[in-house]
Amino acid sequence: MKEHKKLPSAVIKRMPRYYRYLTTLQQMGISRISSRDLGNRMGVTASQVRHDFFSFGASGLQGYGYDVDLLRQEIRDIFGLDDLFSVIIIGAGNLGHALAKYSGFEKNGYKIAAIFDVKPEIIGERINDIEIIHLDKLQEYVQDNHVDIAALTVPEIRVLEVAKLVTDNGIKALWNFSPIELLASDDIVVENIQMIDSLMVLGYNLRTAEAKLNPN
Amino acid sequence: MKEHKKLPSAVIKRMPRYYRYLTTLQQMGISRISSRDLGNRMGVTASQVRHDFFSFGASGLQGYGYDVDLLRQEIRDIFGLDDLFSVIIIGAGNLGHALAKYSGFEKNGYKIAAIFDVKPEIIGERINDIEIIHLDKLQEYVQDNHVDIAALTVPEIRVLEVAKLVTDNGIKALWNFSPIELLASDDIVVENIQMIDSLMVLGYNLRTAEAKLNPN
C-alpha cells in the first residue's frame, strides 16, 4: 500500500462505490470519463465526484475527464488491494458458508484463508476448498500464518468471547456480522455489518414513496 | 406509520444506530440520557446527537436529557416498525438460509413470510418454519398476500431478471445482497448490501492503524 495522508472517513466510505463503477467502466472498455457522466451513473453530483477525487490528489483534465485505469489503480493503491489481505472466517454456519463461497473476494484483494468452528463433525471439511479448522487451533494457526482480518459469523451470544479470543491472538481487524455492535479501540479496527439498519432505511424509504403516491 | 416530513437521508441512515443504542439502554433500565452520554457511548459528538434528534422534532430538556422510552418509540413511529413489514426472500442458498434464521427481524418489525427458490428438491421444505415456495408461484403468492420487501439472495447472474420479476409483480422495495448494484427508480426503492465495500473500509483502516504504529 502506498503512503497516503489519512483521508476523511466519509470519503473513504464512498470510495468503494467509485471503485466498483470504475471497474465496470473498465470492463466496458471505457477509458476516460467526466465527473458529470460518472456522477450521473452513480446518482451523485459532478461536484461531489470532483471533491472526492481531489481529496486524494486525483484531478481530471478540463475537456478530457478522468483516466479510468489510472483512477481505478489509484484507489487500489489507497486500499492496498494488490497486497491481498488474508481473512479468516470464525463460524461455519450459513453465513460463514455464504462468505466462503462468495466469489468477489479474491479479485478484490481479499483471500479467505481458513474457516474456524467448534462442531467436531464438520472439522476437516472444505468449503470452496477452504478447510474448516477447530477453533482450539486458532493460536497455532496465527503463529504459522499471517492473518489480517477475522470475519465473525458466530451466534450473537458468542460474539464477545470470540472477539476477545481473536484479538488476544493478535488479529487487529474484526468484520462483525452479529447484531451486537463491536467498538473499535486504539489498536483494533472494526466494521459492523448491521443488516437491520439497512432494512430500516429500506422500509422508511418505501413508506415515504408510498405516501407520495397516495397523499391522503 | 405517523406522518412526518421527509428527513434528510444522512439522518435516516444514522437513526437505526440510535435506535439500537436506545433499545440497549431500555433493556438496562435506563430511562433518561443526556446527548453527551449517548454521544460518548456511540462515539459521536453531543452536538451531532442533538442535531439529529432535533431534525425530527425531539428535544431533550436542559438538565434532564432525553426520555429513552419516548425517543425510542418516536423512532419506531418514524420507521413504521409497529406496522410489521412483510418480507419475502428470493434464493434459498446459504445467505437466504442465514436471513431466514436471523432472530432479529420480527422484534424489529419485519416478518419473513416466505422463501422462493427454483430447485425442485427443496420446494416445500421449511427454514425456521418459513416455507420454501417455487418461484413460478410468485405471482399467485403476491395476489393472495401483501408483500412489502423482497430480499434478493440469488446468484449474481440471476439478480437482474429476478429484480424485474419481483417488481413486475408489484413489489416496490428490493433488499439486494448481490454484488451488482441495483438503482432505485421513481417507484422502486432499493438498499444494496455491498459486503466488499465494508471489507475495503476495514482493510484501509487496518493499514492506516498499522502505519501509525510502525511509522517507518
Side-chain angles (χ1 to χ4, degrees):
Chain A
M1 187 154 101
K2 269 169 45 178
E3 286 299 318
H4 283 90
K5 64 176 162 46
K6 171 98 174 139
L7 295 167
S9 69
V11 175
I12 286 300
K13 281 188 186 155
R14 286 195 291 269
M15 206 64 74
R17 190 158 176 253
Y18 288 118
Y19 178 71
R20 284 187 278 112
Y21 273 81
L22 291 167
T23 301
T24 304
L25 291 173
Q26 196 182 50
Q27 286 163 350
M28 293 164 72
I30 295 171
S31 60
R32 63 189 215 191
I33 190 156
S34 68
S35 52
R36 185 191 295 193
D37 282 352
L38 185 57
N40 278 344
R41 282 166 189 265
M42 297 180 62
V44 298
T45 64
S47 74
Q48 171 88 77
V49 172
R50 286 193 298 269
H51 169 272
D52 285 341
F53 291 163
F54 184 75
S55 70
F56 65 91
S59 302
L61 290 175
Q62 186 71 37
Y64 180 88
Y66 295 95
D67 182 302
V68 169
D69 290 354
L70 275 181
L71 192 53
R72 181 174 176 277
Q73 186 58 46
E74 185 76 7
I75 297 178
R76 287 189 70 84
D77 289 345
I78 290 173
F79 282 90
L81 300 188
D82 292 315
D83 296 355
L84 211 63
F85 289 82
S86 174
V87 181
I88 60 171
I89 297 171
I90 318 280
N94 291 121
L95 192 53
H97 269 78
L99 284 187
K101 288 180 180 172
Y102 184 74
S103 61
F105 290 128
E106 200 129 345
K107 71 176 175 215
N108 284 297
Y110 304 89
K111 180 173 178 53
I112 309 287
I115 305 168
F116 291 85
D117 206 295
V118 293
K119 290 191 210 73
E121 66 271 24
I122 61 170
I123 304 303
E125 279 182 19
R126 301 183 92 85
I127 307 171
N128 201 16
D129 210 33
I130 305 157
E131 190 180 352
I132 304 178
I133 302 171
H134 199 288
L135 193 55
D136 288 347
K137 300 275 175 69
L138 181 67
Q139 186 175 7
E140 195 179 313
Y141 184 87
V142 298
Q143 280 163 0
D144 296 342
N145 301 275
H146 175 74
V147 176
D148 290 299
I149 293 167
L152 309 183
T153 56
V154 297
E156 180 173 354
I157 54 163
R158 293 272 170 252
V159 74
L160 292 177
E161 65 184 278
V162 168
K164 182 172 186 320
L165 176 73
V166 162
T167 53
D168 284 351
N169 278 289
I171 296 171
K172 304 284 188 207
L174 303 178
W175 197 26
N176 170 36
F177 286 79
S178 89
I180 292 179
E181 183 173 318
L182 301 178
L183 291 179
S185 63
D186 281 348
D187 60 346
I188 307 293
V189 298
V190 178
E191 276 286 309
N192 296 286
I193 298 268
Q194 289 284 353
M195 291 195 290
I196 286 284
D197 289 18
S198 156
L199 190 53
M200 282 177 70
V201 171
L202 184 62
Y204 175 84
N205 288 333
L206 175 64
R207 292 293 189 245
T208 309
E210 286 170 346
K212 208 161 64 180
L213 290 173
N214 310 296
N216 53 323
Chain B
M1 188 155 100
K2 270 168 49 178
E3 285 299 319
H4 283 91
K5 64 175 164 40
K6 171 97 172 140
L7 295 168
S9 69
V11 176
I12 286 301
K13 280 186 186 154
R14 287 195 290 268
M15 207 64 75
R17 190 158 175 252
Y18 288 117
Y19 178 71
R20 283 188 279 114
Y21 273 81
L22 291 167
T23 301
T24 303
L25 291 172
Q26 195 182 51
Q27 286 162 350
M28 294 164 71
I30 294 172
S31 60
R32 66 189 212 191
I33 191 156
S34 68
S35 53
R36 184 191 297 192
D37 283 350
L38 186 57
N40 278 345
R41 283 168 188 267
M42 297 179 62
V44 298
T45 64
S47 74
Q48 172 89 77
V49 171
R50 286 194 296 271
H51 170 271
D52 285 342
F53 291 163
F54 184 76
S55 70
F56 67 88
S59 301
L61 290 175
Q62 186 71 37
Y64 179 90
Y66 296 95
D67 182 302
V68 169
D69 290 355
L70 276 181
L71 193 54
R72 181 174 176 278
Q73 187 58 47
E74 185 76 8
I75 297 177
R76 287 189 70 83
D77 290 346
I78 290 172
F79 282 90
L81 300 188
D82 292 316
D83 297 354
L84 212 62
F85 289 81
S86 175
V87 180
I88 60 171
I89 296 170
I90 318 281
N94 291 120
L95 192 54
H97 269 78
L99 285 186
K101 289 179 178 172
Y102 184 74
S103 61
F105 291 128
E106 200 129 345
K107 72 178 175 213
N108 284 297
Y110 304 88
K111 184 176 176 49
I112 309 287
I115 305 168
F116 291 84
D117 206 297
V118 293
K119 290 192 209 73
E121 65 272 23
I122 61 171
I123 303 303
E125 279 182 21
R126 302 182 91 86
I127 308 171
N128 200 15
D129 211 34
I130 306 157
E131 190 180 353
I132 303 177
I133 302 171
H134 199 288
L135 194 54
D136 288 348
K137 300 278 176 67
L138 180 67
Q139 184 175 10
E140 196 178 310
Y141 184 87
V142 298
Q143 280 164 359
D144 296 342
N145 301 275
H146 176 74
V147 176
D148 290 299
I149 293 166
L152 309 183
T153 56
V154 296
E156 181 174 354
I157 54 163
R158 293 273 171 251
V159 72
L160 291 176
E161 68 185 275
V162 167
K164 182 173 187 318
L165 176 73
V166 161
T167 53
D168 284 351
N169 276 289
I171 297 171
K172 304 283 186 206
L174 302 179
W175 196 24
N176 171 35
F177 286 79
S178 88
I180 292 179
E181 182 173 319
L182 301 177
L183 290 177
S185 64
D186 281 348
D187 61 346
I188 308 292
V189 297
V190 178
E191 276 285 311
N192 296 287
I193 299 267
Q194 289 285 355
M195 291 195 291
I196 285 284
D197 289 18
S198 158
L199 190 53
M200 282 177 70
V201 171
L202 183 61
Y204 175 84
N205 288 333
L206 175 65
R207 291 293 188 245
T208 308
E210 286 170 344
K212 207 162 62 181
L213 290 174
N214 309 298
N216 53 326

